[in-house]
Amino acid sequence: MGHSAAVWDYRPAHELTSDWNGNPYVILRNPQGASARISLHGGQVMSWKNEHGEELLFTSSKAVFKPPKAMRGGIPLCFPQFGNCGSLEQHGFARNKVWAIDNNPPPLPPNDSNGKSFVDLILKPSAEDLKCWPHSFEYRLRVALGADGRLSLISRIRNVNGKPFTFSFAYHTYMSVSDISEVRIEGLETLDYLDNLFHRERCTEQGDALTFESEVDRVYLSCPNAIAVIDHAKKRTFVIRKDGLPDVVVWNPWDKKSKAMTDFGDEEYKHMLCVDGAVVEHPITLKPGEEWTGRLEIVVVPSSFCSDHLDLHKVRF
Ligand code: BG6
């Protein structure tokens, strides 16, 4: 990876503490000063900062940091459904539940641990969850911060016993951007998408890259495993790599919807963009004993690194 052993040789560590409401959360740090904060409420990444202490994720100034709803910002986990259908609550219940620290997770490949500060969390269904979604699952989440500041999330969902079950999923990632009109997404051009603003009509992306001048609420289908969110004003690029997550949700509420959300500032749509690695079009079915894994990795690089057009195939992880 081009790093000396000294940089990588530090002990993975995390600190468990709690916020002013008494909600427990975990802090990950790397030796260069980058950090991530993960709430046990929802297993939600609440904050991710680079080595200069700059926040990379968006959090609304009107966010409510109290259960039972997910905080507006960071990375809420949408499971066992993305969206709003049937009797399940919008985006599923996982983001509204209290997770536990998993002290003895089944092993992951060495690349998911070496040189990283990480925490393992687990969610099992409560009696209340089983009433609305009667399936025995174990959801294991690892959140890791690399020595170079990259953030990775690994979700492992297992059917523990009983009948097969089916779910959809998203890492609902709120990125912090300087000005939405200066942002471009590369990697989604020419793809088909479902447009949530038009009854999920199937359309095809026409532009060279995706830019923003009004509300966007789309599910891009069968996407490449690397995409880039380029923030021209900040001269920085979020490079997102994903595995097991074929779809990408892109959401910005724009002005009208912003005003309708009580936990979101009227003008805040200018400073955020949700780009979610997701499984929406073809939900996952797990038979008893089967497990699904979905990985997301985000790294922030100076846009100069990407020149005019980032060659996503050359991005190293
Ligand atoms: C997006 C959906 O992913 O999430 C939008 O596509 C939705 O339709 C948005 O409004 C926010 O959802 P929630 O439940 O967190 O307010």
Side-chain angles (χ1 to χ4, degrees):
M1 299 283 261
H3 291 273
S4 71
V7 173
W8 288 91
D9 276 358
Y10 68 95
R11 290 178 57 145
H14 64 252
E15 301 157 35
L16 183 61
T17 178
S18 54
D19 69 11
W20 59 96
N21 286 312
N23 300 319
Y25 67 89
V26 169
I27 298 185
L28 306 176
R29 298 182 199 280
N30 81 0
Q32 285 68 37
S35 63
R37 189 153 49 89
I38 303 102
S39 174
L40 266 55
H41 177 71
Q44 184 170 350
V45 178
M46 312 288 275
S47 159
W48 173 37
K49 290 182 178 168
N50 66 15
E51 69 275 22
H52 307 298
E54 287 166 336
E55 181 59 61
L56 302 169
L57 298 177
F58 167 85
T59 295
S60 171
S61 61
K62 295 201 170 171
V64 179
F65 289 80
K66 268 195 292 196
K69 296 300 280 182
M71 185 278 286
R72 175 76 61 198
I75 311 182
L77 302 167
C78 304
F79 171 82
Q81 78 170 358
F82 172 81
N84 192 2
C85 60
S87 55
L88 274 177
E89 60 201 85
Q90 157 118 327
H91 294 339
F93 50 74
R95 63 179 183 163
N96 297 323
K97 299 294 167 183
V98 179
W99 292 56
I101 302 264
D102 188 3
N103 288 315
N104 203 10
L108 278 159
N111 267 356
D112 292 320
S113 313
N114 290 348
K116 290 177 177 160
S117 167
F118 61 83
V119 64
D120 289 297
L121 303 182
I122 185 163
L123 180 71
K124 294 181 189 178
S126 65
E128 184 198 343
D129 301 334
L130 288 169
K131 276 188 212 152
C132 60
W133 203 66
H135 303 293
S136 299
F137 69 88
E138 284 176 355
Y139 181 165
R140 291 194 159 79
L141 173 72
R142 171 169 295 185
V143 183
L145 185 68
D148 59 357
R150 78 187 50 199
L151 183 71
S152 47
L153 292 94
I154 303 169
S155 290
R156 290 183 286 173
I157 295 169
R158 172 175 286 275
N159 184 338
V160 184
N161 60 40
K163 296 188 189 134
F165 63 72
T166 298
F167 62 92
S168 55
F169 179 89
Y171 289 111
H172 203 327
T173 309
Y174 286 77
M175 286 166 189
S176 170
V177 299
S178 50
D179 176 354
I180 187 67
S181 58
E182 297 281 323
V183 172
R184 182 172 99 226
I185 302 183
E186 285 187 12
L188 302 179
E189 49 281 3
T190 74
L191 297 180
D192 281 3
Y193 61 87
L194 305 178
D195 196 334
N196 282 329
L197 301 179
F198 296 96
H199 309 288
R200 305 191 96 195
E201 189 184 327
R202 197 176 178 115
C203 309
T204 302
E205 184 57 55
Q206 304 291 351
D208 279 353
L210 183 60
T211 53
F212 298 88
E213 48 195 30
S214 59
E215 182 182 358
V216 172
D217 190 350
R218 298 177 182 170
V219 182
Y220 284 83
L221 305 172
S222 306
C223 304
N225 278 341
I227 60 170
V229 179
I230 299 158
D231 184 337
H232 289 296
K234 271 247 158 77
K235 297 189 172 56
R236 74 180 180 202
T237 296
F238 292 86
V239 181
I240 301 167
R241 195 184 73 156
K242 57 190 184 58
D243 280 311
L245 303 159
D247 306 321
V248 170
V249 178
V250 179
W251 180 60
N252 183 291
W254 220 255
D255 53 351
K256 222 164 116 206
K257 201 161 271 174
S258 295
K259 292 194 178 103
M261 289 191 284
T262 52
D263 60 349
F264 195 84
D266 290 359
E267 301 286 317
E268 285 183 332
Y269 71 92
K270 294 176 181 165
H271 306 299
M272 58 72 72
L273 178 63
C274 284
V275 182
D276 318 348
V279 181
V280 180
E281 190 188 26
H282 301 297
I284 306 288
T285 296
L286 293 178
K287 296 193 192 109
E290 285 184 341
E291 185 173 276
W292 168 85
T293 301
R295 289 161 195 270
L296 186 80
E297 194 164 61
I298 318 174
V299 63
V300 176
V301 295
S303 292
S304 54
F305 174 88
C306 311
S307 66
D308 278 347
H309 279 281
L310 175 63
D311 185 347
L312 291 166
H313 302 291
K314 289 192 183 149
V315 175
R316 290 180 58 202
F317 285 90

